[in-house]
Amino acid sequence: MAHDGPRKILVAIDFGTTFSGVAWAETRRKQQIRTIIKDWPSGSGNDDKVPTILQYASATFRDGRIWGYEVEPDPAKTTYEMFKLGLDPKREKETRLARDYPSVVKLPTRSADVEDLVVDYLTALRENFERHLEDLPNSIDLESIPRHYVITVPAMWSEKAQDRTRACAEKAGMGLKENVGIISEPEAAAIRVLEELRADEYDFKLNDTFVVCDAGGGTVDLISYTVTGLKPVLRVKEATKGDGYVCGGIFVNRVFARYMQETYGSHPFWSDEVLQDSIREFELNVKKRFDGKTDKTYKIRVGIPNHPRDIRDSVLRLSGAQVKNFFDPVIDEIERLVLAQLRATSQRVKCVMLVGGFGGNKYLKDRLQKAVGDGVKVSKPRNTLTAVVEGALIRGLVDAQPSNATIRVETRNARRFYGTSSWIPYDSVVHDRSRKEAGGYRGAAQIRTLQWFVKQNEPLRVAEPFGYYWDKPVSEGMPDEIKMPIYSYEATSNRSPPTYPDEAGVIELGMLRVKIDSLPRAAVRKELGTRDEEFYIVDFDIQMTLHSASLTFALLVQGTKYNQLRLDFS
């Protein structure tokens, strides 16, 4: 086994909406050992994941914080769940399930509060991991080895939400945000699945296509791959752009909560604590066991002694048909996503692989199998619960030791259009006359339009360099930097992307800042314009790299790469 780079400890964090996981490994070892953390405060000692939940002694953050399995229902304390979704709040607000079945637990409303909660939770995960290392026989040796963290995020998240996750990780003590690795949850799960493919468990052949459906607690993400090479490195490319939606397993709980509120909300013994206890009982004793059969009866303990409908001695009896009704609105959405992904691929899909916490549910698997038909197999790989965190760790190991890679994603499909705006000569035939302005260096009328350098669903890893031109009169002085806006646009149809920055759906991601003193002399020159006015002229190329869950930009001048550029998000 080759050893690339310095020795380090890689820590993968599957930061989930309802449950989170941690795994780690040490680089430069002859035998690679990957460890999943199973020991959590107040846990059983054998739990693959820990609840993503925080509780405080009062409404003030950081006042008596407890987390995970330590949290018990207590109306005197402030409890927060599902705060992860607050990093990209628009995604939940725009979904039908979120509107129809809002959360029954407290959700933070201010952006700063969301980030405080995420930092607190990530800090708890990091501190628990460090305690795990301290208990190992060789803890003194491990203490001096630098850590490198890799965090998973939903593939559907915006670039700003991805950046906010990294910023929170930095505040949680996981290193500078630009050094924190980030990978989309479905790609991480796919990497874990691909490891099984290498063992020939799925009999995949060249050009076979498969879909990975990561059905988690809050979000469901899908990604499709086509096998492009088998040996010595298993190579795949994305078959189409991925998709995702806020329709995870937590919404089954919300549908159940709506039923409880409407049915028993007027009972004298009803309270928020009764509702929370009922949801926990439902999660443990019904939701995890439900297989779609309607001839069963399920029982859970509730805080109401009796009710003429179906509660006797504080035991609620639910028919299988009732439980099915709790599941169906959620599974309907997941089924829609899967069928849309199958239609979007350009090749016949061989199988759909279900991973994630909700992905292990038998009723979900059976419903999807019926929906896709006999020609496509729906399967559950081993360890569906830990597929994401294991895949993130594998990816981190490959990045640290590239020569040992056994799995490689060759290209990804852009989920959006990406581009910038620039001044071009005004054309009366194609341009909006009201937008034209007096010319600069060129003299003729000009207009500011969008220049898309990456097209949605375009397969790429590193985009073709995009030329950028800038001018300014010498009389106005040379600025310290050139600001280059970066835009995105997610199309919902095959129509052409917008032409102007202020059109509907166009999002300004942020600014690339090019420091003038970082440019080589050949990139900056003076020339006389058409009206004998002297101008500074700058020509350079920008190259965007599409990673699993992030974008990077590089500056090129005359084909030579000079430095990485930081995108300052709006």
Side-chain angles (χ1 to χ4, degrees):
M1 176 179 284
H3 299 304
D4 307 79
R7 184 183 180 194
K8 65 178 71 171
I9 291 175
L10 289 168
V11 188
I13 306 285
D14 174 15
F15 176 36
T17 307
T18 54
F19 282 85
S20 296
V22 178
W24 72 281
E26 186 183 342
T27 63
R28 298 179 62 84
R29 290 181 64 103
K30 289 183 179 180
Q31 239 182 346
Q32 194 64 71
I33 300 174
R34 305 199 303 254
T35 303
I36 296 174
I37 301 297
K38 295 176 178 284
D39 190 15
W40 310 99
S42 300
S44 70
N46 193 37
D47 302 299
D48 288 330
K49 287 193 170 186
V50 61
T52 307
I53 184 171
L54 289 165
Q55 191 176 78
Y56 300 86
S58 69
T60 304
F61 296 153
R62 307 184 193 283
D63 183 9
R65 181 201 75 194
I66 58 175
W67 66 290
Y69 290 109
E70 297 176 314
V71 176
E72 295 287 345
D74 187 343
K77 296 180 180 180
T78 305
T79 304
Y80 290 97
E81 298 180 81
M82 294 190 70
F83 46 85
K84 168 188 167 178
L85 296 180
L87 291 174
D88 199 8
K90 182 182 176 184
R91 291 293 176 178
E92 180 173 8
K93 289 178 182 176
E94 66 189 15
T95 63
R96 185 187 61 79
L97 280 175
R99 291 192 301 269
D100 291 350
Y101 302 99
S103 176
V104 296
V105 300
K106 187 176 180 62
L107 295 176
T109 54
R110 294 193 318 123
S111 175
D113 291 347
V114 168
E115 292 183 8
D116 282 345
L117 291 170
V118 172
V119 169
D120 261 13
Y121 190 78
L122 293 180
T123 299
L125 290 179
R126 180 186 58 77
E127 291 174 346
N128 187 72
F129 167 69
E130 293 295 344
R131 283 192 293 269
H132 165 81
L133 292 189
E134 289 170 3
D135 291 339
L136 298 178
N138 60 335
S139 60
I140 295 178
D141 179 42
L142 296 175
E143 193 175 297
S144 61
I145 303 174
R147 276 67 159 150
H148 177 72
Y149 285 83
V150 180
I151 300 182
T152 64
V153 296
M156 57 187 277
W157 267 15
S158 67
E159 290 77 11
K160 185 173 183 178
Q162 296 162 4
D163 186 70
R164 291 178 72 189
T165 304
R166 276 180 154 155
C168 290
E170 178 176 336
K171 291 178 182 177
M174 296 181 180
L176 296 175
K177 77 173 187 177
E178 54 264 31
N179 296 329
V180 174
I182 193 166
I183 182 172
S184 76
E185 291 163 0
E187 181 168 319
I191 288 172
R192 175 64 184 87
V193 169
L194 290 171
E195 190 178 55
E196 291 190 20
L197 296 188
R198 282 189 55 79
D200 296 326
E201 294 185 23
Y202 285 90
D203 190 31
F204 272 78
K205 300 178 176 60
L206 205 62
N207 296 321
D208 277 350
T209 297
F210 62 97
V211 173
V212 176
C213 176
D214 175 23
T219 58
V220 176
D221 278 308
L222 293 101
I223 200 164
S224 303
Y225 290 106
T226 297
V227 178
T228 59
L230 295 169
K231 294 181 179 180
V233 176
L234 178 60
R235 299 175 184 272
V236 297
K237 66 177 181 180
E238 279 195 29
T240 188
K241 80 179 186 76
D243 201 0
Y245 204 59
V246 181
C247 57
I250 193 68
F251 287 95
V252 177
N253 298 25
R254 289 191 185 185
V255 179
F256 167 72
R258 168 73 61 81
Y259 167 79
M260 293 294 292
Q261 288 172 316
E262 291 179 348
T263 308
Y264 308 108
S266 60
H267 194 282
F269 283 85
W270 179 261
S271 67
D272 288 344
E273 189 174 0
V274 167
L275 177 60
Q276 293 301 327
D277 286 344
S278 300
I279 293 172
R280 289 174 187 268
E281 283 279 320
F282 175 78
E283 172 78 29
L284 293 172
N285 299 315
V286 180
K287 182 178 168 185
K288 291 184 177 181
R289 294 165 46 206
F290 185 65
D291 57 7
K293 295 179 180 177
T294 58
D295 57 353
K296 293 182 180 179
T297 299
Y298 296 87
K299 300 177 182 179
I300 61 172
R301 296 200 64 82
V302 295
I304 298 174
N306 290 288
H307 191 277
R309 182 158 180 158
D310 41 25
I311 297 177
R312 298 288 185 278
D313 299 324
S314 298
V315 175
L316 169 65
R317 291 163 176 79
L318 295 168
S319 70
Q322 285 177 297
V323 177
K324 181 177 177 295
N325 288 337
F326 303 149
F327 274 78
D328 281 345
V330 183
I331 294 181
D332 287 347
E333 293 291 347
I334 299 174
E335 182 180 298
R336 178 186 62 79
L337 281 175
V338 171
L339 292 176
Q341 186 75 180
L342 264 62
R343 288 193 298 269
T345 58
S346 57
Q347 299 188 27
R348 177 184 171 274
V349 173
K350 185 170 185 176
C351 77
V352 175
M353 297 182 180
L354 270 176
V355 299
F358 194 42
N361 181 265
K362 186 178 184 303
Y363 180 47
L364 173 61
K365 177 179 178 294
D366 291 346
R367 275 281 306 269
L368 291 181
Q369 185 63 75
K370 183 178 179 181
V372 301
D374 296 336
V376 180
K377 181 181 179 182
V378 177
S379 65
K380 290 191 297 183
R382 292 196 305 268
N383 303 323
T384 60
L385 193 63
T386 59
V388 172
V389 74
E390 288 186 79
L393 186 61
I394 296 169
R395 163 67 182 279
L397 289 168
V398 168
D399 287 347
Q401 301 168 203
S403 61
N404 293 330
T406 57
I407 299 163
R408 181 164 294 139
V409 179
E410 291 189 315
T411 61
R412 299 180 177 91
N413 287 47
R415 292 182 176 235
R416 305 171 184 90
F417 288 90
Y418 294 96
T420 186
S421 61
S422 61
W423 293 99
I424 64 172
Y426 170 72
D427 184 337
S428 61
V429 176
V430 297
H431 293 144
D432 180 351
R433 182 178 180 180
S434 66
R435 296 175 181 269
K436 74 174 181 177
E437 295 189 18
Y441 165 75
R442 299 183 181 97
Q446 58 184 4
I447 190 166
R448 183 169 172 247
T449 64
L450 292 167
Q451 310 297 315
W452 300 108
F453 49 74
V454 171
K455 296 179 175 63
Q456 184 169 302
N457 211 22
E458 177 183 4
L460 58 85
R461 187 171 184 88
V462 180
E464 289 296 317
F466 177 80
Y468 193 76
Y469 167 88
W470 175 92
D471 66 44
K472 186 176 184 180
V474 172
S475 61
E476 296 179 12
M478 174 65 81
D480 294 331
E481 62 183 11
I482 297 171
K483 297 179 182 179
M484 179 180 175
I486 299 297
Y487 299 92
S488 72
Y489 175 75
E490 190 166 356
T492 56
S493 64
N494 292 326
R495 66 184 292 268
S496 298
T499 302
Y500 305 108
D502 58 358
E503 289 190 60
V506 177
I507 297 173
E508 182 178 313
L509 296 180
M511 288 284 180
L512 286 181
R513 300 178 185 272
V514 179
K515 296 292 185 182
I516 295 295
D517 58 10
S518 71
L519 294 170
R521 289 184 178 180
V524 184
R525 64 188 189 276
K526 291 181 182 179
E527 290 187 9
L528 284 177
T530 55
R531 298 172 184 171
D532 291 333
E533 182 179 12
E534 196 172 28
F535 279 78
Y536 289 115
I537 306 294
V538 178
D539 286 306
F540 54 85
D541 289 331
I542 296 294
Q543 189 172 55
M544 188 187 95
T545 301
L546 181 67
H547 303 279
S548 171
S550 61
L551 309 172
T552 56
F553 297 85
L555 174 71
L556 293 84
V557 178
Q558 296 178 354
T560 301
K561 185 178 292 187
Y562 280 86
N563 54 19
Q564 292 291 114
L565 300 175
R566 190 182 73 186
L567 180 62
D568 291 336
F569 286 89
S570 300

